[in-house]
Amino acid sequence: MAVLYITLVLSAYMFQERLIFFPSKMPMNHTFDFCQAYEEIFLTTADGAKLNAVKILQDSSKGVVIYFHGNSGNISHLNHVANLIDGKGYDAILIDYRTYGKSTGKMSEKALMEDAQLFYDHALKTYGQNDIILYGRSFGTGIASGLAAANRPKTLILESPFYSAIALGKHRFPILPIDWLSNFRFPSNEYVQQVKCPIYIFHGTDDAVIPYEQAQRLYETIPGDDKKLYTIKGGGHNYLQDYGIFNAGMNEIFD
């Protein structure tokens, strides 16, 4: 029995990237079908990775939303996000992580955070910090929280966030020594304590991927009163945009 457990632990350590990330690749000549005018962005990192993003363009924008998606798919699946942000009068930068979509590179937590900063610095060439909104969903909330802590954006939006990647790992794999195993920690609970802008959290009570209580714990960790938790009763992990409270919350944030 001990041998089987040790084998399980070692396997989880060796293949943890496959347990966390579910990228969907696309050919470099893929043409996106967003309804809005857009341009593609390619940024090169210090280690030679090529990072792809799509920038949704307004004729006259109020600012920009930098969006970090979940741990599966790619930005070709984000038409609903583009529509939401476009409808609020903002430009949007939709980013594909390393190994996702047209992006290349070797995955690591350090690299993902440095990549996020690279896109933030790119946005600063066009927008002031007070014109930048950071928006993370699911896995992307860990990156968005860390980026907000390191900068001074206007707003941080977290949709279906975890308390930390370690806390989520312990929930999903309770028999494994996650603290020891994990190379991906994303301590959102620590990041939010350093964020200097308003933080808005959206989470469904019936989320079977990231429990609602993780959002509650994260919310309670945020110091001060410049925060709000939108509880979506009956909401799952996906399709929160189908709920009135989600759309009312977005109207409150953007308008």
Side-chain angles (χ1 to χ4, degrees):
M1 198 68 176
V3 173
L4 287 175
Y5 180 73
I6 291 171
T7 301
L8 175 64
V9 169
L10 291 176
S11 297
Y13 178 77
M14 293 175 61
F15 299 107
Q16 62 184 279
E17 188 173 318
R18 297 184 187 180
L19 294 173
I20 299 171
F21 303 105
F22 304 94
S24 177
K25 296 294 293 181
M26 69 174 69
M28 295 299 290
N29 63 355
H30 175 84
T31 300
F32 295 98
D33 61 353
F34 293 103
C35 299
Q36 301 80 10
Y38 71 87
E39 63 183 22
E40 282 197 73
I41 300 171
F42 285 93
L43 299 183
T44 302
T45 68
D47 67 351
K50 304 289 186 182
L51 305 178
N52 180 234
V54 164
K55 183 177 182 182
I56 304 296
L57 301 168
Q58 295 276 350
D59 290 334
S60 178
S61 75
K62 300 176 182 177
V64 66
V65 178
I66 305 177
Y67 184 85
F68 300 92
H69 63 68
N71 67 340
S72 63
N74 58 52
I75 56 178
S76 70
H77 306 151
L78 299 180
N79 292 71
H80 64 291
V81 176
N83 293 339
L84 169 66
I85 297 170
D86 175 71
K88 304 304 180 186
Y90 280 75
D91 295 337
I93 298 176
L94 313 176
I95 299 167
D96 259 337
Y97 313 123
R98 293 164 177 248
T99 75
Y100 287 72
K102 301 182 185 181
S103 295
T104 67
K106 184 177 180 181
M107 190 70 75
S108 73
E109 182 170 352
K110 181 175 182 290
L112 287 169
M113 295 308 304
E114 290 176 349
D115 295 348
Q117 187 63 54
L118 187 64
F119 277 103
Y120 194 92
D121 292 342
H122 177 80
L124 286 175
K125 296 176 182 179
T126 305
Y127 311 91
Q129 289 214 81
N130 199 45
D131 299 317
I132 297 175
I133 294 175
L134 300 182
Y135 186 161
R137 180 186 177 277
S138 189
F139 166 75
T141 60
I143 297 177
S145 297
L147 188 61
N151 298 278
R152 296 295 295 267
K154 178 181 180 179
T155 306
L156 173 62
I157 301 172
L158 303 176
E159 180 183 339
S160 305
F162 48 64
Y163 182 75
S164 70
I166 294 298
L168 181 60
K170 289 180 177 179
H171 166 77
R172 296 183 66 182
F173 306 105
I175 67 170
L176 296 176
I178 298 297
D179 273 321
W180 176 76
L181 284 176
S182 184
N183 291 326
F184 298 92
R185 311 186 76 82
F186 292 102
S188 296
N189 59 309
E190 298 176 13
Y191 290 146
V192 295
Q193 296 181 54
Q194 304 169 45
V195 173
K196 303 302 182 184
C197 67
I199 302 177
Y200 300 94
I201 297 176
F202 295 82
H203 212 112
T205 57
D206 292 352
D207 192 327
V209 178
I210 302 176
Y212 172 71
E213 64 88 14
Q214 295 225 356
Q216 287 180 304
R217 290 176 60 199
L218 184 66
Y219 177 77
E220 292 165 0
T221 303
I222 302 169
D225 299 320
D226 211 356
K227 60 183 180 178
K228 188 164 184 177
L229 171 60
Y230 296 89
T231 298
I232 302 174
K233 293 182 179 180
H237 191 65
N238 301 312
Y239 308 112
L240 296 186
Q241 69 271 15
D242 293 341
Y243 291 81
I245 190 171
F246 177 89
N247 292 294
M250 287 295 170
N251 288 338
E252 181 179 344
I253 293 166
F254 284 99
D255 299 337

